[in-house]
Amino acid sequence: MSRSAHPAGPRHGDVMPEGHVSAPPADLNALDPKVWSRTVARAADAEGVVSVGGMDVLTLAEQFGTPAYILDEQDFRARCRAWRDAFGTGADVYYAGKAFLSRAVVRWLHEEGLNVDVCSGGELTVALSAGMPAERIAFHGNNKSQAELEYAVKSGVGHIVVDSFDELVRLSWIARQQGIRQRILIRVTVGVEAHTHEFIATAHEDQKFGLSLSGGMAAEAVRRALTLDGLELAGIHSHIGSQIFDTAGFEVAARRVVGLLAEIKAEHGVELPEIDLGGGLGIAYTSDDDPREPAEIAASLTEIVRRECAAEGLTPPRISVEPGRAIVGPTALTLYQVGTVKPLEGLRTYVSVDGGMSDNIRTALYDAEYSVALVSRRSAAEPMLSRVVGKHCEPATSCPRRLPAGRPAPGDLLAVPATGAYCRSMASNYNHALKPPVVAVSEGEARVIVRRETEEDLLRLDIG
Ligand SMILES: *Cc1c(COP(=O)(O)O)cnc(C)c1O
């Protein structure tokens, strides 16, 4: 927008990244259910305080401080069940632990019948220590260390997703040392790359993950896996991207993976019993996003695999999927308190909150969009042209930028929805900020499942 069109400056709400201002929403106080977790509601009274899991945000801020991640347990469990029910008993749903992993979450996953993906020894320890049966854990990564592989094999991890020729040899040796046959999948690059609203069916294969299908590396890995001792090749794995809204990319990937199964049968006379089609389903960060439902994904993938297998004369393999963001992403919000409000004459107002890029790196890293709302009270005033910023020594855009939030004042609480995935798990101590706690709320009760870091935690690591 040109500044001269709005000479008075602060008039419009909902600030988009540089230069774009969309129309302020009809109701500044509305909370789009697409973006906010299921139990989020604004009180109908004059104050209009927002609650989640039956706990109002004023109480949450008072009890647990800010910033804090507030995780809606009911919503988390409901999303687990939606994925489980969509795929039924003939498939496995692995929750991608890298989105956010804690012991409470592992227990919920266990109770709801989901499995877990891990991609490091640390994640494996968290999953095992919360009682997830090793059999229901899959281990990923393009460069698992020798120690991590030994740990995974010794723990009895159900699947190791092998990512290279080196790793096949390494793992075969470890399994033989330990006197077991390790079940593995081979991760292939199917030449499909999907990001947000688009996918490319002939993506370049110049990337660190997987073994290329078109280049013949995948077929060669299968040849080696079938002859190496200590390995039981269970199937093929593919993961095509993240924050995907279109099922077409998954469909092309599924078709190509089944094509490989047919080649394997022709060459080796072996029908591999499993395929894993990865994760990457998108969620709504703003009202502009339109995510697919698990049932829709399940129906389309199951049907394509069934049809392609029928055409190739294959028995349909057992399907696995690995949603991370689509389960945990929408279930948490980050609660911040406003500190400084700085109007810049003729430009905009900077609203500073007590967190920022140390608790949400995604805006800085991916230029990610978020929504934000004033939650400690109803907003009566006109919206203003403003930008929410964090407190770190970094330029402005380290916090969500959309602010259909009226005119926040120091002391107000703002909430950023859809911060369940890749926020706490990617949190840092930049500026020696203390990582916020994760507070689980459900039916009027709140409990800390990951506590806030303290300065003692920082000093304990810094041993001088
Ligand atoms: C990251 C990842 C996932 C989960 O991705 P989301 O976008 O969170 O669904 C699943 N599988 C693999 C192999 C991954 O690397």
Side-chain angles (χ1 to χ4, degrees):
M1 113 188 168
S2 82
R3 210 182 307 156
S4 61
H6 299 282
R11 267 204 288 142
H12 287 241
D14 203 11
V15 178
M16 302 282 285
E18 298 301 338
H20 302 280
V21 177
S22 59
D27 178 0
L28 270 186
N29 294 293
L31 301 168
D32 185 347
K34 222 167 41 166
V35 175
W36 296 84
S37 80
R38 250 160 249 222
T39 68
V40 167
R42 189 183 288 281
D45 57 17
E47 281 85 62
V49 176
V50 170
S51 66
V52 51
M55 297 286 296
D56 74 76
V57 293
L58 296 176
T59 308
L60 288 169
E62 191 182 302
Q63 283 187 9
F64 305 105
T66 55
Y69 303 104
I70 311 295
L71 180 53
D72 184 339
E73 179 180 345
Q74 272 187 22
D75 194 20
F76 186 96
R77 288 178 180 272
R79 285 174 198 278
C80 289
R81 284 195 291 274
W83 280 91
R84 261 258 54 99
D85 295 348
F87 280 90
T89 52
D92 294 304
V93 181
Y94 285 79
Y95 168 77
K98 72 175 194 271
F100 172 66
L101 201 66
S102 80
R103 292 196 274 188
V105 157
V106 172
R107 280 190 288 272
W108 301 341
L109 292 165
H110 190 187
E111 286 165 16
E112 302 298 343
L114 270 66
N115 300 350
V116 178
D117 267 357
V118 299
C119 61
S120 71
E123 286 185 2
L124 179 56
T125 295
V126 171
L128 289 172
S129 77
M132 181 59 74
E135 176 57 31
R136 285 169 48 191
I137 299 174
F139 199 121
H140 284 268
N142 66 304
N143 187 24
K144 308 171 196 79
S145 71
Q146 180 87 10
E148 284 174 323
L149 288 171
E150 284 171 1
Y151 175 29
V153 172
K154 195 167 85 206
S155 305
V157 156
H159 291 79
I160 294 180
V161 183
V162 174
D163 202 279
S164 66
F165 295 139
D166 286 344
E167 191 173 71
L168 275 175
V169 175
R170 225 172 263 156
L171 191 57
S172 161
W173 185 83
I174 291 167
R176 277 182 287 135
Q177 288 286 304
Q178 297 192 18
I180 67 146
R181 272 189 98 203
Q182 175 63 49
R183 203 173 319 125
I184 63 165
L185 302 177
I186 288 176
R187 176 158 176 178
V188 305
T189 331
V190 293
V192 173
E193 196 174 285
H195 290 288
T196 65
H197 298 275
E198 288 169 9
F199 86 96
I200 314 167
T202 52
H204 69 95
E205 287 167 336
D206 184 2
Q207 59 145 314
K208 70 175 185 177
F209 289 114
L211 291 147
S212 138
L213 209 122
S214 66
M217 283 170 85
E220 179 57 23
V222 168
R223 255 170 239 133
R224 296 188 194 182
L226 288 172
T227 54
L228 282 166
D229 288 334
L231 302 181
E232 178 192 334
L233 178 60
I236 300 299
H237 178 281
S238 150
H239 172 72
I240 57 171
S242 62
Q243 187 60 358
I244 304 165
F245 290 99
D246 189 342
T247 57
F250 290 101
E251 293 170 6
V252 173
R255 225 171 279 136
R256 291 184 185 170
V257 167
V258 173
L260 178 61
L261 294 186
E263 284 173 32
I264 293 166
K265 184 180 181 188
E267 183 178 341
H268 306 281
V270 176
E271 285 196 62
L272 298 184
E274 299 178 31
I275 60 173
D276 186 325
L277 296 170
L281 265 299
I283 62 165
Y285 285 104
T286 75
S287 297
D288 297 338
D289 296 326
D290 269 313
R292 304 271 76 81
E293 291 296 322
E296 194 183 332
I297 306 287
S300 111
L301 288 185
T302 312
E303 171 54 20
I304 281 176
V305 171
R306 196 198 56 73
R307 201 173 59 221
E308 297 290 310
C309 286
E312 301 279 5
L314 294 168
T315 313
R318 189 173 178 86
I319 298 175
S320 294
V321 288
E322 307 175 315
R325 186 194 318 266
I327 291 177
V328 72
T331 66
L333 57 82
T334 312
L335 198 56
Y336 299 103
Q337 186 169 45
V338 174
T340 301
V341 177
K342 188 184 289 181
L344 299 189
E345 196 53 47
L347 290 169
R348 71 182 83 242
T349 297
Y350 279 84
V351 177
S352 296
V353 297
D354 53 357
M357 68 182 289
S358 61
D359 59 72
N360 186 348
I361 189 72
R362 294 191 65 259
T363 51
L365 199 55
Y366 309 122
D367 211 20
E369 276 288 332
Y370 280 91
S371 312
V372 56
L374 176 57
V375 289
S376 50
R377 61 182 170 90
R378 194 177 293 283
S379 177
E382 280 268 282
M384 64 180 173
L385 189 60
S386 59
R387 176 173 292 159
V388 179
V389 295
K391 64 177 282 163
H392 301 80
C393 302
E394 267 288 303
T397 55
S398 52
C399 226
R401 288 160 294 199
R402 295 184 145 214
L403 187 59
R407 292 172 177 267
D412 277 339
L413 298 175
L414 297 185
V416 175
T419 57
Y422 306 107
C423 288
R424 181 58 177 77
S425 68
M426 294 177 105
S428 77
N429 288 118
Y430 181 51
N431 288 169
H432 278 185
L434 304 170
K435 290 177 195 158
V438 182
V439 179
V441 290
S442 182
E443 297 180 332
E445 286 184 22
R447 73 191 164 100
V448 175
I449 60 171
V450 180
R451 74 156 167 80
R452 183 184 301 284
E453 270 183 340
T454 62
E455 287 177 0
E456 290 83 81
D457 291 326
L458 298 182
L459 293 178
R460 205 169 292 145
L461 295 174
D462 183 344
I463 55 173

